[in-house]
Amino acid sequence: MVDTHSAAAAGDNPFVLEARGVIKIFGQSKALDGVNLGLRRGEVHALLGENGAGKSTLIKILTGAYQPDGGEVVLDGEPVRFSDPLHAQSHGIGTVYQEVNLLPNRSVAENLFLGRQQTRFGFVRKSLMEKNARELLSRYGLDIDVQAELGTYSVAVQQIVAIARAVELSGKVLVLDEPTASLDKYEVEKLFEVVTQLKQRGMAIVFITHFLDQVFAISDRVTILRNGRLIGTEPLAGLSRTDVVRMMLGKDITFAPAVTGIEERAAGPALVEFKACGKAGKIHPFSLKIRRGEVVGVAGLLGSGRTEMARIMFGADQCDAGEIRIGDKPVSLTSPVQAIAHGFGFCPEDRKIEGILGDLSVRENIVIALQGKLGWFKALNRDEQMEIAGKFAEDLDIRAASLDMPVKLLSGGNQQKVILARWLATDPSFLILDEPTRGIDVGAHAEIVRTINRLREEGLALLVISSELDEIVAYSSRIVVMRDREMVAELTGDNINPSVIVQAIAAQHETVAAEGASV
Amino acid sequence: MNRSLRPLAATAVIFALAYAASIFQFPGMFSTRVLGNFLTDNAFLGITAVGMTFVIISGGIDLSVGAIIGFTGVLVAVLIGWFGIHPLAAFAIALVVAAAFGAAMGAAIHYLEVPPFIVTLAGMFLARGAASVITQDSIPVTHEFYSTVTSTYWLMPGGGRLSLIGALMILVFIVGALVAHRTRFGSNVYALGGNAVSAALMGVPVARTTILIYTLSATLSGLAGIVFSLYTSAGYPLAAVGVELDAIGAVVIGGTLLTGGYGFVAGTFIGVMLQGLVQTYIIFDGTLSSWWTKIVIGGLLFVFIVLQRLVFSASSSRTKTFWKLKHE
């Protein structure tokens, strides 16, 4: 645990930037609840946590994008209040985001010096600016044409340019928010060389990522958040991967409940089979059979390729290679329309953006997929729509004052049920649910889980992605584990328990293999 | 070649080809007299189009320019004809009024977060309405300053006349190009068009830049209104109806991306000249309706928008994978 008063104790290396007991409240929920984070000169400090853990909120408070509702931010021992990111930058705190926040339409040189170009008689001294840009980038091992538009370079080069700009303008603390998410292996190495160099120059670097390998490759200390609370700050040297995953997911392996589990159904023929389907840069080829009457759970950290897998299965993305079979027949699956025609349904992870049509009524949201399947010329009239919507609203216990109210006014759990109803109305044979229980209250949570079990009993094939390990072991007949965009394990029988999953996520191949899981 | 230069190059090539074809058919079009007329006849459009180029590069649009031309024309004519103010003083007043009008529109766009399309549409109705309230009729301007200005020209080799307003347009283009490509304000305009959020995070003064952009556009439209009143020696509230669309057309044909971020002031010059060329061709031909100008411009606009789409979507996939090349 970090000691908020250790700044003085650390003596020769006090904290450069510190968050002390920071609280941030959005509406009724506490996004951050008394979180501490201390950054020392010359360290790479990894900040870890699942979605909603509060990482980005904490970063936004440190960089001035948000104001804390409690606690304080301390810079060089003095409490500070940053009004906006520019203000924080002028005090030495720079940020580089995953989506590079520079100008793809302008030259590299201009991106480095925008806002502080040197002028003579009101005109920008372009050749001087370009010379300075070349010199600056050469310190980062980058020898590129600085007159070319930034957007014509790879994301990796853009990241380095963004880092160079941020370091030039700030110089004390550099926050890297998922900088490696869209880089390949070689580019990540290049980036790490730059980070190591900056660390040696005495900068404090905050590194946010979902890739554990990278955390262990470069970080000195790690701070882990969960549900807005600080779980701990530790030197990485003393930690194993399993420790880190356990802290992130909140699972204590030694006390993992013995899973009564679900009897695996007779291994009938596969309803859908994916053979070596993959997409370069998104997900390594995976093979998976899904049978009627079973729930295949997908576990893995955020960014491990879970959602990418679901999108390929629903035809939202196409695989580069591989084969998809329904029954015995190879089928083409290049669009969601085809997937729906095959009897697939998909409840996406981001309900608000990809799921509900907020301004349309509950009724319209429920019948829309069915109408899409029927086509333009078989319009369902209002009475038919009401009947269908009413039936599913009752089946799934959707609590809405009226079926004609806009769906955006419903609670998260009810919205999730509306999306579920939408697909059930199409009478699907295979349903993909991406994080069906995220952000919904406990009661609705239990109902969704019950519904999943009921659908399985009715003979549907389901694929459910979830970060909730207790939940996923409760309904899955099999669990596949994703790590670094690859399917790394398929767990069955007694292996369906949280501790085995955690070990599989934490990259302990040996353990998993020894326990008889097929990899 | 820099990909943003490609539409500009295409425009230049099309202009050269079209001009060559016109000369082939009507050898008389190859003369500085025709060129001089090009410049004089399109001076007001060119000056407005320079301002429009800045607006569109910043990702906005300005629909009020034609109405501002009409309004300043009437204002100048009224100040000179009814109040007996010297034309130069009248010009100064008109420019200040236009600038203030533009600044107000820029402020509304930034602070009220209303889309430029809406704000400048309102501005268009306001300016056109105000001009019509002042007078319904065409007010002739008879002042010796006007006759001096309109009879001032430089003789070009070949007997062509470069009029004062033609020269003024060229000057505006040169200054406009310098401001766009060589000043911090110019960089900020491109930055806003590229990504306004990033620009703000990088320290671009978004409010000031936005207000300045619309001030510049309105001021240049005011100047265009003055030029138009010199050109016609009158102020008419319904003058220059639809010029905003001609200006937008010239800017887009000149290679500026309608979505902002990319563009050239020099390209706009070619865009204006291309419109002038079509008009001149129609005059030389003598049998074609002048509406053919619109048809040709419409066709060209379509071609250019498709062209830009192709150029920018073809090169949007990251082409320079520098490290990988070095690695291998």
Side-chain angles (χ1 to χ4, degrees):
Chain A
M1 284 289 178
V2 74
D3 172 7
T4 49
H5 302 293
S6 62
D12 55 331
N13 195 356
F15 291 140
V16 183
L17 183 68
E18 220 188 326
R20 287 186 190 159
V22 164
I23 295 171
K24 182 72 191 174
I25 297 165
F26 291 118
Q28 303 193 336
S29 62
K30 272 190 178 173
L32 286 178
D33 192 359
V35 171
N36 302 316
L37 177 71
L39 304 171
R40 293 206 173 97
R41 282 170 55 79
E43 76 164 347
V44 177
H45 195 127
L47 182 58
L48 300 180
E50 279 290 88
N51 228 2
K55 293 176 311 228
S56 53
T57 311
L58 179 59
I59 288 309
K60 281 179 174 161
I61 285 173
L62 287 178
T63 58
Y66 290 161
Q67 306 300 325
D69 294 321
E72 59 182 0
V73 177
V74 179
L75 179 68
D76 291 327
E78 302 284 328
V80 283
R81 235 183 151 79
F82 298 128
S83 53
D84 56 50
L86 278 180
H87 184 209
Q89 184 177 286
S90 69
H91 281 79
I93 299 154
T95 315
V96 173
Y97 301 93
Q98 174 190 351
E99 291 298 322
V100 182
N101 264 319
L102 294 180
L103 300 162
N105 61 329
R106 302 307 285 160
S107 74
V108 172
E110 204 163 299
N111 270 289
L112 285 169
F113 293 104
L114 188 76
R116 57 199 177 102
Q117 304 102 318
Q118 290 187 42
T119 57
R120 185 196 281 160
F121 313 124
F123 293 118
V124 172
R125 303 181 65 181
K126 245 187 180 160
S127 50
L128 178 71
M129 181 170 91
E130 280 156 8
K131 184 170 149 278
N132 291 342
R134 271 189 295 273
E135 274 174 23
L136 178 60
L137 291 181
S138 70
R139 277 188 261 145
Y140 293 86
L142 213 53
D143 178 22
I144 57 174
D145 175 11
V146 296
Q147 292 180 314
E149 282 167 29
L150 184 74
T152 59
Y153 288 103
S154 68
V155 179
V157 172
Q158 297 189 35
Q159 290 278 10
I160 302 283
V161 172
I163 289 173
R165 182 184 163 92
V167 170
E168 198 67 6
L169 287 170
S170 45
K172 276 185 196 162
V173 177
L174 179 64
V175 179
L176 299 173
D177 190 356
E178 293 200 44
T180 57
S182 43
L183 305 189
D184 67 25
K185 206 175 157 199
Y186 182 66
E187 291 170 327
V188 170
E189 278 174 30
K190 267 311 236 196
L191 184 80
F192 282 3
E193 280 173 28
V194 168
V195 171
T196 310
Q197 186 198 334
L198 291 172
K199 172 180 145 180
Q200 281 157 4
R201 277 164 58 183
M203 289 197 71
I205 295 157
V206 180
F207 180 48
I208 300 173
T209 185
H210 290 299
F211 301 109
L212 283 186
D213 288 346
Q214 297 178 0
V215 171
F216 281 88
I218 197 158
S219 309
D220 301 304
R221 290 195 303 153
V222 57
T223 290
I224 295 169
L225 302 181
R226 190 170 69 234
N227 296 329
R229 287 168 189 278
L230 177 70
I231 301 303
T233 298
E234 310 269 355
L236 209 63
L239 291 180
S240 70
R241 269 156 221 268
T242 315
D243 295 333
V244 173
V245 173
R246 199 192 298 152
M247 287 165 86
M248 285 171 72
L249 297 182
K251 286 285 153 274
D252 203 334
I253 290 178
T254 46
F255 297 108
V259 175
T260 49
I262 297 151
E263 296 291 309
E264 201 182 349
R265 298 233 152 185
L271 172 70
V272 198
E273 182 176 3
F274 298 87
K275 274 188 176 167
C277 293
K279 184 172 169 66
K282 295 273 189 192
I283 186 166
H284 292 281
F286 64 91
S287 296
L288 188 62
K289 283 182 187 171
I290 298 149
R291 304 183 185 88
R292 283 187 183 282
E294 74 168 352
V295 176
V296 176
V298 180
L301 297 177
L302 196 75
S304 59
R306 302 175 310 186
T307 299
E308 287 78 0
M309 181 192 225
R311 287 180 61 85
I312 283 180
M313 288 180 167
F314 195 57
D317 286 327
Q318 281 80 55
C319 37
D320 308 327
E323 192 186 25
I324 299 167
R325 299 170 82 97
I326 294 181
D328 290 333
K329 290 194 297 286
V331 293
S332 102
L333 190 62
T334 54
S335 71
V337 173
Q338 276 183 333
I340 293 168
H342 292 318
F344 293 7
F346 178 40
C347 302
E349 182 177 13
D350 198 324
R351 197 164 52 229
K352 287 208 175 62
I353 295 173
E354 298 182 332
I356 60 163
L357 302 161
D359 292 314
L360 295 188
S361 69
V362 174
R363 167 177 57 84
E364 288 164 318
N365 267 282
I366 289 177
V367 299
I368 194 161
L370 177 59
Q371 185 65 69
K373 194 177 180 183
L374 291 176
W376 288 9
F377 300 109
K378 291 181 205 147
L380 293 166
N381 65 35
R382 205 188 138 84
D383 289 344
E384 285 167 332
Q385 291 185 9
M386 274 316 243
E387 192 192 321
I388 293 162
K391 173 177 171 290
F392 284 100
E394 194 176 335
D395 272 10
L396 297 177
D397 192 21
I398 295 171
R399 282 171 219 146
S402 141
L403 291 177
D404 281 315
M405 72 189 278
V407 77
K408 65 180 174 188
L409 300 178
L410 299 187
S411 70
N414 280 310
Q415 287 179 358
Q416 191 65 51
K417 289 189 213 161
V418 168
I419 299 173
L420 208 52
R422 174 192 295 169
W423 293 111
L424 294 179
T426 66
D427 190 20
S429 50
F430 174 42
L431 206 51
I432 303 161
L433 310 178
D434 194 353
E435 294 283 4
T437 56
R438 170 169 301 157
I440 64 182
D441 61 66
V442 182
H445 193 282
E447 276 177 56
I448 298 269
V449 172
R450 261 202 301 283
T451 308
I452 289 172
N453 277 321
R454 201 190 80 209
L455 293 172
R456 179 176 49 76
E457 277 159 20
E458 286 173 6
L460 250 71
L462 291 108
L463 181 102
V464 185
I465 299 170
S466 179
S467 310
E468 303 280 337
L469 296 186
D470 287 335
E471 173 194 314
I472 204 164
V473 298
Y475 51 61
S476 297
S477 329
R478 274 185 293 150
I479 290 179
V480 296
V481 178
M482 307 293 295
R483 185 190 343 117
D484 291 348
R485 300 176 182 142
E486 196 171 358
M487 189 193 280
V488 291
E490 188 171 330
L491 310 175
T492 52
D494 288 344
N495 278 323
I496 300 182
N497 76 59
S499 63
V500 179
I501 297 173
V502 165
Q503 284 168 10
I505 292 173
Q508 293 184 336
H509 296 267
E510 320 76 40
T511 328
V512 176
E515 290 180 22
S518 52
V519 176
Chain B
M1 194 193 325
N2 194 329
R3 61 177 174 167
S4 59
L5 277 169
R6 276 178 239 167
L8 178 64
T11 312
V13 168
I14 287 175
F15 178 76
L17 288 177
Y19 198 25
S22 309
I23 291 166
F24 184 72
Q25 198 179 351
F26 305 111
M29 277 182 76
F30 185 64
S31 77
T32 52
R33 288 170 194 274
V34 172
L35 181 67
N37 286 344
F38 260 26
L39 297 177
T40 308
D41 295 343
N42 292 293
F44 74 99
L45 175 61
I47 291 169
T48 306
V50 172
M52 187 68 82
T53 310
F54 280 87
V55 172
I56 292 180
I57 289 173
S58 80
I61 195 94
D62 189 348
L63 299 178
S64 69
V65 298
I68 293 178
I69 292 175
F71 176 77
T72 41
V74 169
L75 184 65
V76 164
V78 165
L79 288 173
I80 298 169
W82 296 0
F83 297 97
I85 294 173
H86 187 273
L88 283 176
F91 293 170
I93 293 170
L95 287 178
V96 169
V97 171
F101 191 70
M105 287 195 296
I109 288 163
H110 178 77
Y111 292 110
L112 306 181
E113 291 173 24
V114 184
F117 188 96
I118 310 283
V119 173
T120 59
L121 186 68
M124 174 179 111
F125 288 126
L126 271 173
R128 191 66 77 185
S132 304
V133 166
I134 295 173
T135 175
Q136 298 278 1
D137 311 311
S138 177
I139 308 172
V141 181
T142 47
H143 194 283
E144 59 188 75
F145 179 80
Y146 263 60
S147 32
T148 315
V149 167
T150 44
S151 59
T152 305
Y153 59 86
W154 291 271
L155 213 55
M156 291 188 281
R161 291 170 176 187
L162 177 59
S163 65
L164 195 67
I165 58 173
L168 181 65
M169 171 178 76
I170 291 173
L171 184 71
V172 169
F173 268 103
I174 292 169
V175 173
L178 282 174
V179 170
H181 304 300
R182 294 280 161 188
T183 66
R184 290 173 73 159
F185 170 70
S187 296
N188 292 346
V189 173
Y190 281 94
L192 279 191
N195 185 336
V197 177
S198 295
L201 281 173
M202 291 171 78
V204 170
V206 178
R208 197 179 76 203
T209 309
T210 306
I211 292 170
L212 269 178
I213 289 166
Y214 288 90
T215 309
L216 178 72
S217 175
T219 310
L220 286 177
S221 304
L223 186 61
I226 292 165
V227 164
F228 197 70
S229 91
L230 285 164
Y231 179 58
T232 58
S233 292
Y236 181 50
L238 293 181
V241 168
V243 161
E244 57 278 354
L245 302 182
D246 290 339
I248 293 168
V251 170
V252 173
I253 290 172
T256 297
L257 205 61
L258 258 180
T259 44
Y262 297 92
F264 297 92
V265 174
T268 303
F269 183 73
I270 303 177
V272 171
M273 286 296 101
L274 201 54
Q275 296 202 17
L277 179 70
V278 178
Q279 287 160 1
T280 313
Y281 179 89
I282 285 162
I283 294 164
F284 267 77
D285 182 87
T287 59
L288 291 170
S289 154
S290 68
W291 285 102
W292 278 98
T293 317
K294 301 282 178 202
I295 293 172
V296 173
I297 295 301
L300 279 175
L301 257 180
F302 181 72
V303 167
F304 273 88
I305 289 168
V306 171
L307 183 80
Q308 290 181 347
R309 189 78 214 152
L310 292 177
V311 166
F312 280 89
S313 62
S315 56
S316 65
S317 51
R318 313 279 182 206
T319 40
K320 293 185 190 170
T321 45
F322 165 78
W323 279 336
K324 276 184 204 156
L325 288 176
K326 241 190 160 184
H327 188 47
E328 279 156 9

